[in-house]
Every structure is written in structure tokens, then in C-alpha cells.
Amino acid sequence: MLTVIAEKENIDENNGKILIKEKSDCNHIQNVYRLNIGDELRIIDGEYEYFTKIIEISKKEVAVKILEKNEDSYSLNINIDVAMGILKNDKMNLAIQKLTEIGVKSIIPLKTERVVVRINEKKEKWDTVARETLKQCRGVKFTEILPVKKLAEIDYKKYDKIIFAYENSNESKSLSEIIKQKDKNILYIIGPEGGIAQEEVDFLKNNKAIEISLGKRILRAETAAIVVCGIIANFYM
């Protein structure tokens, strides 16, 4: 079943009706999936999911009738935020896509010492990647892409556990030894293609971040972000 996103102002629960006004969604409904009046749609708004039936179609909007409204049952039992050094276009998009699939709460693009990418990426583009991914993975809550930050601008106090991967780490503890079921908010930090500088390592440790090693092999930044978040998410299932 096709999933589309509806803005809350276009959801009229009193009359049991939702309007789909996003041009790309209207095009998908009519010209890609070739849906007609009477066909069903799954709609999400970042908080709830709705199963609906199309009742009106025009070039500018699609109107649907609400058949069923459900609470979100697809989110993780833990809030995971990922702060990652900004990567080159395709790699950053891939990381955002896969982290959204996993179900991370927020992604913080980081401007670290070894970021080599010109920061001319528009947050709007990253938001689009996350929202389009959400439609395909049965998620309901949006993965928030925060504004670009430096390490010193992150509010570390709100996290129960802060973890960062360091390619030169001598630590032997596994993730399962570090994360605990009682943790509710976890921040995972990954550097850019060039890794995290020593000064940044020292800064993170001073903010009670826990250093981990990802093994003897050097993983690409996007791979490390995806793998570690997948392990953390699986631990809380």
C-alpha cells in the first residue's frame, strides 16, 4: 500500500477527511501508481498513521476518507541521536536514508576539524531524503535533521549515554557492555571521512563520552554510523 505524508493542517478528523496537496505525492498517486477513487492509501503525519480511501482526485490535490487511525507502533524503545561529520553528497544521503530506516530520532550534521566538504548542502535536501525514506519503511515519526553544529554546541547533558567511535582506539569493551536497558536517550558520534582529531577526542572524553573501537578494520564513516546504530537499536527491541 502506498504511503504518503499529510501535513497536520490538512487533516480534518471531525469530518473524517484528509487532503494530500504535495505535488510529488499527487503525481505518484495518479500517474505512477494510477490509483483511482475507492483505492486505499496509508497516510502518516509524524505522530499517527491513517488507513484511508480516496474519495476525490484532481491535479492539485487528492482527498481521502479516514477509515482507521492508529498510534505509532513502529518506533524504537530508545531515543537515538546521531551526530556525524558531514560527508560527501551521496554518502551523506545514504547515511540519512539508512539511519531513518533504523529509526533514529535525530541526526546532527557536524562541522568537525576534518570535514572536507563545503557546507553548501541545504537542510531542505536532507529533510527530503529522510521524509521519502520514511514513506518506504513503514515508519510514522519523522527523523529530525538538525542544523549543522560543532561539537561544542551539542547539549550533552540531556543524554543518558554518549558514545563515539575512534579509529585509533585501544578500547576493547563491546557495545553490549556499555549500553544498558535503563538508558532512554543515547547520542552516538561518528567523524567524517578523515576521522576525529585528537583534540576532539579529548573534548568528548571531558564531556563523559565513551570511546569505542569498531574492530581492526577501518570502516567508512557512513558504514560505521549505520552499523553501530543498528546494533544499538537491536539491543532495545
Side-chain angles (χ1 to χ4, degrees), residues 156 159-164 187 189 204 207-210:
Y156 296 98
Y159 297 102
D160 301 312
K161 195 69 55 71
I162 304 161
I163 301 165
F164 72 98
L187 173 66
I189 300 167
L204 289 171
N207 281 278
K208 299 182 179 179
I210 301 170

Side-chain angles (χ1 to χ4, degrees), residues 7-120:
E7 303 303 327
K8 286 189 177 293
E9 61 264 26
N10 295 326
I11 299 175
D12 182 0
E13 292 195 52
N14 291 331
N15 294 309
K17 186 176 178 180
I18 300 175
L19 294 179
I20 306 301
K21 295 188 175 184
E22 175 62 40
K23 185 176 179 181
S24 63
D25 284 335
C26 290
N27 179 64
H28 252 75
I29 291 167
Q30 299 176 61
N31 301 319
V32 179
Y33 282 80
R34 298 188 180 279
L35 300 180
N36 293 302
I37 292 173
D39 289 328
E40 295 186 349
L41 279 177
R42 176 179 179 265
I43 294 177
I44 57 175
D45 66 358
E47 186 176 6
Y48 299 100
E49 71 171 347
Y50 304 83
F51 290 99
T52 70
K53 181 171 67 176
I54 298 173
I55 55 175
E56 296 174 28
I57 292 181
S58 70
K59 288 184 178 180
K60 293 186 177 180
E61 64 182 36
V62 175
V64 300
K65 177 183 179 181
I66 299 172
L67 302 176
E68 184 181 330
K69 175 184 177 182
N70 296 323
E71 298 274 352
D72 174 28
S73 61
Y74 303 98
S75 293
L76 299 174
N77 296 319
I78 177 75
N79 291 326
I80 305 173
D81 286 356
V82 180
M84 58 184 301
I86 299 171
L87 309 176
K88 293 177 183 177
N89 291 350
D90 291 345
K91 294 178 181 180
M92 192 70 179
N93 291 343
L94 174 65
I96 290 171
Q97 181 188 70
K98 299 308 175 185
L99 293 172
T100 299
E101 287 180 18
I102 291 169
V104 301
K105 181 175 179 287
S106 303
I107 298 172
I108 307 170
L110 278 181
K111 177 65 177 79
T112 62
E113 182 179 321
R114 294 176 181 169
V115 165
V116 295
V117 181
R118 289 184 181 179
I119 306 177
N120 55 5

Side-chain angles (χ1 to χ4, degrees), residues 3-5 25 42 44 92-104 107 125-143 145:
T3 297
V4 298
I5 294 173
D25 284 335
R42 176 179 179 265
I44 57 175
M92 192 70 179
N93 291 343
L94 174 65
I96 290 171
Q97 181 188 70
K98 299 308 175 185
L99 293 172
T100 299
E101 287 180 18
I102 291 169
V104 301
I107 298 172
K125 180 179 178 181
W126 294 333
D127 283 334
T128 298
V129 172
R131 287 168 73 94
E132 289 302 313
T133 301
L134 195 66
K135 296 177 186 178
Q136 300 167 9
C137 69
R138 295 188 74 184
V140 172
K141 290 184 179 176
F142 302 137
T143 293
I145 312 296

